[in-house]
Amino acid sequence: MPVTFIDIERQKNWRIGVLFFFLVFLYFLFAFILVQLVVAFLPGSEIFFVGAKLKYVAAISALALTISVVHFGISGYTAVDRVVEQVRALAPDPDDGVHRQLINVMDEISIASGSRKQIQCLVIPTLSLNALAVSDLKGRALIAITEGLLSRLTREQIEAVMAHEMYHVLSGDCLDASVATSLFGLYASAAEGLKEAVAQDFRVIPFLILFRVLNSLGMIVTMFISREREYRADAGAVRMTRNPLALAEALNLISGRWTGAGCIHEGLEMLCISSPSPDIHDQTEGWWSDLMSTHPPLVKRIDILLRMARVSPSALDRKGRTRTAYQPEAETLYYALDPENVWIGPFRVTELTAFPWFSAATMLSAQPGGDVEVAETMTVADLVLDRNPAEGRGGVIMSCSSCRQPLRKESCAQTTVHRCVLCQGVLVDNDRIFRILARREITCGERTKALLLAVTADSQRSLSIRKLRLRERKTIPFARCPRCGREMFRSFYSYAFLIELDKCSICKVTWFDADELEMLQCLIENKLPETASDHIGRPQP
Amino acid sequence: MLAVWFITACFGLFMAWGIIIFNRLVTARNDALNAWSQIDVQLKRRYDLIPNLVAAVKGYMEHEKEVLEDVVRARVLAMTTGRIQDKAKAEDGLSGSLKSLFMVMEKYPVLKASENVMRLQEDLVTTENRIAFARQLYNDLVANYQILCEIFPDRLVAQVFSFRQFSYFRAGTAEKETTRVELP
């Protein structure tokens, strides 16, 4: 274990060599099989085996080595440029207050790490929450953070995230991941290019298949890339900033939110702080998940950081909420007499209303054994009793998929929806969506328009329909259907209306986050401002 | 003949060992020295920024003269102190007075509206952080060097070539006292 980051930087990296030999082996295998096939189909020649004709093997090896060197060279030296191009990262604008702060934070972290390496810092213009680090064989290194994450984190949290990425760069594991990504990214882009050519000429199909196969071999490389590196980078970040809580808060904010699926190019997962297209392996443990996934479960990472900070997860939750717009008020806690005549509690008023048996006649008390009152007579009663909590299948209380608060039945455009009291997200039955939209009772305010503009511009930019189809029907591990508890699928409302929604295909319900229903209404009614078409598809300077 | 070869080989190995340890000590010492110069760079930057900030806010803060005077006095004190222990104390005093200034500035919404003042404030905040991080790095590297000087057998080499100990940049008393600010 190196003592300082300066020492880490001085160390030579051996894993990159392993990667190179893997590539040579891969090409050797391919060339060998290819020659075998050609020989087998040529008339008048017999199949030869390894060792049978040494000069063939030597020739194939030489060929494999040459191709590998060229391929490795190209991808190793262009890794940073390729990623910059793919995510469309821009240099931070020194006239922008937030960006100026980012530049300063970057310098601070540079000092904390004691590194003399020049590391570029860029901003990715997207609303998703993510950050990534790339470095290449030229010695260039780059840390990029999305505009979405930048705007939602406090100064300390940005510092923690940047320190995490900085550790990736300094420890050298970023170089392995970057080169691996770039190696197989070349195949992916070659396959992409050939797919266009297929329409004109059918003879390129074998090459297309070849590149596809090679690309899927890239999966093997993700197995080399250990999940442990994320834990190590978290620990390294804490060593630089001495602030585990800030990193835990930042990860907590990222978890369960849009981390850039579809916007951050597929295949860049390894470089990101949290996987942009999370699948189930990213949230589970065990040897299979360890093998298949590049990121450990966020929950576990947060847990480790919180233990370092000696803070309980619930405190983080409270803190996380105060940071956002929601300010919890000091609420009175009540004990309640349940149907079996047992005092239970204490509960908040919102929690009490979640019980199916809670009614105006329920006995309440401020402390166990204290003065007992009927719920009806309490001042909170008016607020609570006229609203019924929504029941899911089998009488289970439905709770919000993101904040776990009970959902309340509510009337929207004369039909019933279930709204979360905390985050204002809405659960709507699929067949009711059209009713709500058709009735046009939701008004379209300035705020909605602005949100809509940002969201659709973000979704449309750089996305072809094909890419959209690819990302359809992916499970979102954090969002569970409030009704049945199964994982929901995240997909667009339609390809014409690019608003991302979580759907449960079994219960036939759709979860709209706060404002999403309004935005959809607004979009469908075509209430976009006049200038909208100018903005969409073009990143804001 | 064999014995001569044996002794020569042993001596050679001993020399190689000594050279490796000596080089390691020199590297660690220079890393620490470099980190110290980094602190200096950042401290200078802070000295340069403070007059600008004071000039920018002076007009608005007629009633807070003593806070501004504190800052100016602390700056002069920090700039003139030479020895490392005293320097740490003086710098902490300056950090403390700057914190009080920032807190007082919170009371003036008009300052928040000024682009120039906000920019200066961000510059000072980042400089404060840089100083803190540079100190952290310096202390880490000094600890690293100290360990190398003291562990056996490296300490033998360290003593022969008289590698001297560095002192940490400790937080002085001023830093530990929380800044007092009277709420309106």
Side-chain angles (χ1 to χ4, degrees):
Chain A
M1 169 72 194
V3 187
T4 60
F5 292 102
I6 297 175
D7 293 340
I8 293 177
E9 222 175 310
R10 285 196 188 115
Q11 281 184 336
K12 291 271 181 291
N13 220 292
W14 56 270
R15 273 163 304 186
I16 198 90
V18 175
L19 201 64
F20 178 70
F21 281 108
F22 172 76
L23 196 71
V24 174
F25 177 71
L26 194 73
Y27 275 118
F28 178 79
L29 217 61
F30 257 92
F32 193 73
I33 293 167
L34 211 66
V35 171
Q36 289 277 22
L37 284 177
V38 170
V39 171
F41 285 108
L42 279 180
S45 66
E46 54 201 49
I47 299 170
F48 65 89
F49 297 97
V50 185
K53 291 193 178 170
L54 207 59
K55 63 176 177 182
Y56 284 112
V57 179
I60 293 170
S61 305
L63 186 70
L65 196 65
T66 319
I67 299 178
S68 304
V69 167
V70 171
H71 185 182
F72 198 81
I74 292 176
S75 48
Y77 282 94
T78 60
V80 169
D81 298 322
R82 285 172 60 81
V83 171
V84 170
E85 197 183 310
Q86 277 172 348
V87 299
R88 287 161 199 203
L90 305 167
D93 174 12
D95 283 335
D96 180 315
V98 179
H99 286 192
R100 203 163 49 230
Q101 184 176 309
L102 177 70
I103 298 170
N104 285 340
V105 165
M106 189 69 202
D107 288 346
E108 288 163 27
I109 290 301
S110 215
I111 288 169
S113 69
S115 148
R116 276 155 232 157
K117 199 176 168 130
Q118 277 297 314
I119 297 176
Q120 216 183 338
C121 170
L122 295 183
V123 182
I124 308 172
T126 147
L127 294 179
S128 56
L129 309 179
N130 222 324
L132 57 85
V134 211
S135 59
D136 64 14
L137 293 175
K138 262 189 285 186
R140 272 186 76 191
L142 167 96
I143 295 175
I145 184 167
T146 64
E147 202 78 71
L149 192 58
L150 194 57
S151 58
R152 297 183 70 162
L153 297 182
T154 62
R155 195 188 170 104
E156 290 97 63
Q157 289 165 352
I158 295 174
E159 213 152 63
V161 168
M162 298 309 264
H164 172 104
E165 299 301 342
M166 181 72 108
Y167 181 86
H168 276 313
V169 173
L170 294 185
S171 71
D173 61 18
C174 174
L175 186 64
D176 308 340
S178 307
V179 173
T181 303
S182 184
L183 278 178
F184 294 93
L186 272 186
Y187 293 137
S189 43
E192 197 75 15
L194 280 178
K195 215 161 24 175
E196 309 290 312
V198 166
Q200 276 104 47
D201 192 351
F202 287 102
R203 276 170 298 179
V204 297
I205 287 177
F207 291 100
L208 182 61
I209 294 167
L210 179 74
F211 282 126
R212 281 281 167 82
V213 171
L214 281 170
N215 190 26
S216 36
L217 275 171
M219 281 297 290
I220 298 173
V221 173
T222 60
M223 294 181 190
F224 280 129
I225 306 290
S226 149
R227 297 173 114 180
E228 300 296 315
R229 57 198 282 277
E230 294 296 329
Y231 291 128
R232 263 183 275 133
D234 285 349
V238 170
R239 240 182 85 188
M240 279 187 237
T241 61
R242 311 281 150 107
N243 191 351
L245 192 59
L247 187 58
E249 283 164 359
L251 290 179
N252 193 37
L253 185 83
I254 292 170
S255 73
R257 290 197 170 77
W258 181 38
T259 46
C263 210
I264 291 173
H265 205 273
E266 291 204 26
L268 299 183
E269 292 100 350
M270 280 187 266
L271 308 176
C272 295
I273 191 167
S274 168
S275 183
S277 43
D279 63 34
I280 197 71
H281 297 305
D282 284 329
Q283 303 309 329
T284 50
E285 291 189 79
W287 68 270
W288 181 245
S289 299
D290 279 351
L291 206 59
M292 295 308 294
S293 165
T294 50
H295 288 76
L298 270 174
V299 183
K300 195 159 175 221
R301 284 166 70 183
I302 295 171
D303 204 45
I304 292 172
L305 289 166
L306 286 179
R307 256 184 285 152
M308 279 189 212
R310 299 181 195 284
V311 171
S312 74
S314 56
L316 177 74
D317 238 26
R318 270 202 300 280
K319 203 163 177 199
R321 280 199 205 126
T322 48
R323 284 275 158 85
T324 56
Y326 174 71
Q327 297 281 341
E329 290 157 34
E331 276 187 277
T332 328
L333 298 175
Y334 294 101
Y335 289 82
L337 197 65
D338 75 354
E340 276 129 43
N341 282 329
V342 181
W343 285 99
I344 53 171
F347 295 111
R348 282 188 285 167
V349 175
T350 46
E351 288 167 335
L352 277 175
T353 57
F355 289 113
W357 42 262
F358 183 79
S359 71
T362 306
M363 299 289 193
L364 293 179
S365 168
Q367 64 252 22
D371 295 336
V372 177
E373 280 178 273
V374 182
E376 202 176 24
T377 61
M378 307 278 248
T379 46
V380 292
D382 320 331
L383 295 168
V384 172
L385 291 172
D386 58 337
R387 293 188 197 170
N388 301 318
E391 280 181 23
R393 198 155 289 168
V396 180
I397 308 303
M398 294 206 281
S399 60
C400 172
S401 61
S402 46
C403 41
R404 312 276 171 231
Q405 293 292 309
L407 301 182
R408 293 248 183 74
K409 267 186 201 164
E410 205 183 85
S411 171
C412 175
Q414 298 167 45
T415 186
T416 314
V417 295
H418 302 122
R419 189 180 288 272
C420 170
V421 283
L422 197 60
C423 70
Q424 299 296 314
V426 196
L427 186 77
V428 188
D429 294 17
N430 280 354
D431 49 359
R432 286 185 186 158
I433 298 174
F434 304 108
R435 291 185 230 163
I436 295 172
L437 294 175
R439 283 170 198 165
R440 299 189 170 205
E441 286 192 17
I442 299 171
T443 50
C444 186
E446 281 307 312
R447 181 183 130 79
T448 316
K449 275 183 197 164
L451 274 173
L452 183 58
L453 201 63
V455 170
T456 49
D458 202 52
S459 299
Q460 278 186 353
R461 183 156 32 81
S462 84
L463 288 184
S464 66
I465 291 290
R466 192 176 292 119
K467 280 185 193 155
L468 296 182
R469 283 206 185 113
L470 277 178
R471 54 187 279 228
E472 251 225 290
R473 300 185 72 81
K474 270 197 181 139
T475 54
I476 306 299
F478 286 96
R480 290 187 172 272
C481 171
R483 191 162 285 175
C484 65
R486 292 190 186 85
E487 275 156 4
M488 295 200 279
F489 294 111
R490 181 161 291 184
S491 65
F492 285 116
Y493 175 72
S494 79
Y495 294 135
F497 304 116
L498 296 175
I499 302 221
E500 266 197 324
L501 306 168
D502 295 338
K503 293 176 183 172
C504 175
S505 54
I506 293 155
C507 307
K508 306 248 181 303
V509 290
T510 302
W511 176 262
F512 292 86
D513 286 338
D515 291 315
E516 279 182 348
L517 190 56
E518 285 79 356
M519 287 196 293
L520 185 60
Q521 177 88 59
C522 191
L523 188 60
I524 288 177
E525 285 186 39
N526 222 350
K527 276 190 184 163
L528 279 172
E530 292 298 310
T531 49
S533 53
D534 300 337
H535 290 296
I536 289 172
R538 199 180 303 163
Q540 297 290 315
Chain B
M1 192 59 198
L2 195 70
V4 174
W5 276 113
F6 183 73
I7 290 166
T8 319
C10 279
F11 184 71
L13 278 178
F14 179 75
M15 284 300 288
W17 170 79
I19 289 169
I20 289 169
I21 290 180
F22 180 80
N23 285 348
R24 208 157 58 178
L25 283 165
V26 169
T27 315
R29 186 177 61 186
N30 283 326
D31 283 344
L33 281 173
N34 180 50
W36 173 250
S37 70
Q38 283 301 313
I39 302 182
D40 255 3
V41 170
Q42 299 307 332
L43 291 177
K44 286 230 169 55
R45 188 183 139 105
R46 180 160 72 170
Y47 300 147
D48 296 344
L49 281 169
I50 288 171
N52 294 343
L53 182 74
V54 170
V57 299
K58 201 159 60 184
Y60 301 98
M61 297 168 81
E62 285 297 321
H63 308 290
E64 318 281 353
K65 274 254 157 54
E66 63 274 28
V67 181
L68 289 174
E69 277 162 13
D70 265 0
V71 173
V72 173
R73 214 177 302 122
R75 171 173 174 266
V76 172
L77 183 69
M79 280 174 85
T80 48
T81 317
R83 276 177 55 227
I84 180 165
Q85 287 89 348
D86 302 339
K87 183 129 184 128
K89 209 167 160 187
E91 291 298 340
D92 288 336
L94 181 53
S95 288
S97 62
L98 270 177
K99 266 185 212 150
S100 346
L101 176 61
F102 286 157
M103 284 186 179
V104 172
M105 277 166 69
E106 296 282 311
K107 284 197 286 186
Y108 293 81
V110 66
L111 288 177
K112 292 222 154 182
S114 159
E115 162 90 5
N116 187 28
V117 171
M118 290 313 284
R119 201 179 264 245
L120 278 169
Q121 193 174 0
E122 163 65 23
D123 279 349
L124 266 171
V125 166
T126 182
T127 312
E128 289 282 312
N129 284 351
R130 281 171 206 214
I131 291 168
F133 281 135
R135 278 171 61 162
Q136 176 184 305
L137 180 74
Y138 171 74
N139 283 347
D140 279 359
L141 289 171
V142 167
N144 184 20
Y145 170 65
Q146 221 86 303
I147 289 167
L148 281 182
C149 282
E150 283 173 32
I151 53 170
F152 185 83
D154 297 28
R155 74 181 299 161
L156 300 180
V157 180
Q159 271 166 5
V160 168
F161 294 98
S162 57
F163 279 86
R164 65 188 176 80
Q165 307 258 307
F166 285 2
S167 71
Y168 291 104
F169 204 127
R170 283 180 207 284
T173 42
E175 186 102 319
K176 282 177 186 156
E177 279 174 29
T178 44
T179 4
R180 285 183 304 269
V181 177
E182 290 92 43
L183 290 173

